[in-house]
Amino acid sequence: MTGIVVLVSGSGTNLQALIDATADPAYGVRILGVGADRAGITGLHRAGAAGIPTFVCRVEDYPTRAQWDAALAERIGDHDPAFVVSAGFMKLLGPEVLGRYTVLNTHPALLPAFPGAHAVRDALAAGAEVTGCTVHVVDAGVDTGPVLAQVSVPILPGDTEDTLHERIKAVEHPLLVQVVGRAAREGITVIDGKASIP
Ligand code: GAR
């Protein structure tokens, strides 16, 4: 069984998909802890309902971003995970966390297109006909790390940010579950900026 920590900032529907997948022991993943950058969010309630320990590490509670980064690395380290999953965690991770852990991130666009915090809105604003979701390994940049898997989603006439994001999430959840499971069971290799699962 491979232990992971999941980081969330909001509704936690991706976290819920992972929680549901871990009900099957053959999935090979145990969620040891769920961390957030804010209190009171639905993602933390989902973790609590599943009996998973939670922690909150808020940027505003530390004098510097570097100290927050170090504290977050410590809080993650309390659970000693094999790797970390950023599932809607809306803060850029710093060198302490990234130096200690491999972090997988799910992003609601076909990277390298539409990086950043407003990927769904940006794809609509650009008039794109296709977008999607990406699971990638986090590096020091903004959604620039090596891609592990992607699924495309058509943008339909009349789509709003909400309708499009819901359709993206419908394919994002199974993609994240699949990639995290494979990474847990088989391991992840990153060589020369290319990520692969054997
Ligand atoms: C997900 O669609 C995730 O890809 C996105 O936030 C949503 C979180 O939903 N992440 C980003 O935009 C990161 N740049 P959830 O809280 O319901 O899982």
Side-chain angles (χ1 to χ4, degrees):
M1 196 63 76
T2 299
I4 65 170
V5 163
V6 182
L7 301 176
V8 296
S9 294
S11 62
T13 61
N14 281 283
L15 167 66
Q16 188 65 56
L18 291 170
I19 291 171
D20 293 348
T22 60
D24 179 358
Y27 184 58
V29 176
R30 175 172 299 152
I31 303 174
L32 303 171
V34 171
D37 62 333
R38 63 199 70 187
I41 57 171
T42 307
L44 289 175
H45 297 314
R46 292 179 190 275
I52 300 167
T54 63
F55 59 90
V56 175
C57 193
R58 305 187 326 154
V59 172
E60 52 269 43
D61 291 338
Y62 296 88
T64 66
R65 187 89 181 192
Q67 283 165 292
W68 170 76
D69 175 36
L72 181 60
E74 285 298 312
R75 301 305 303 274
I76 294 169
D78 291 341
H79 298 283
D80 196 23
F83 62 90
V84 174
V85 178
S86 162
F89 189 67
M90 302 305 279
K91 291 279 186 304
L92 290 180
L93 295 166
E96 289 287 338
V97 171
L98 297 179
R100 277 172 69 172
Y101 298 102
T102 297
V103 182
L104 304 191
N105 180 51
T106 180
H107 182 78
L110 294 175
L111 292 172
F114 309 118
H118 306 291
V120 180
R121 189 187 310 168
D122 293 347
L124 275 174
E129 293 184 357
V130 177
T131 186
C133 57
T134 301
V135 179
H136 67 105
V137 180
V138 178
D139 68 8
V142 180
D143 299 322
T144 51
V147 170
L148 282 163
Q150 297 184 305
V151 175
S152 61
V153 173
I155 298 179
L156 304 178
D159 255 340
T160 64
E161 190 174 347
D162 284 346
T163 61
L164 179 55
H165 204 164
E166 281 309 307
R167 284 210 322 289
I168 291 171
K169 284 188 178 188
V171 297
E172 183 179 28
H173 296 161
L175 184 71
L176 183 65
V177 165
Q178 180 204 54
V179 174
V180 167
R182 286 188 53 214
R185 294 186 302 270
E186 300 168 37
I188 313 160
T189 314
V190 181
I191 299 172
D192 292 338
K194 287 202 186 291
S196 61
I197 299 170

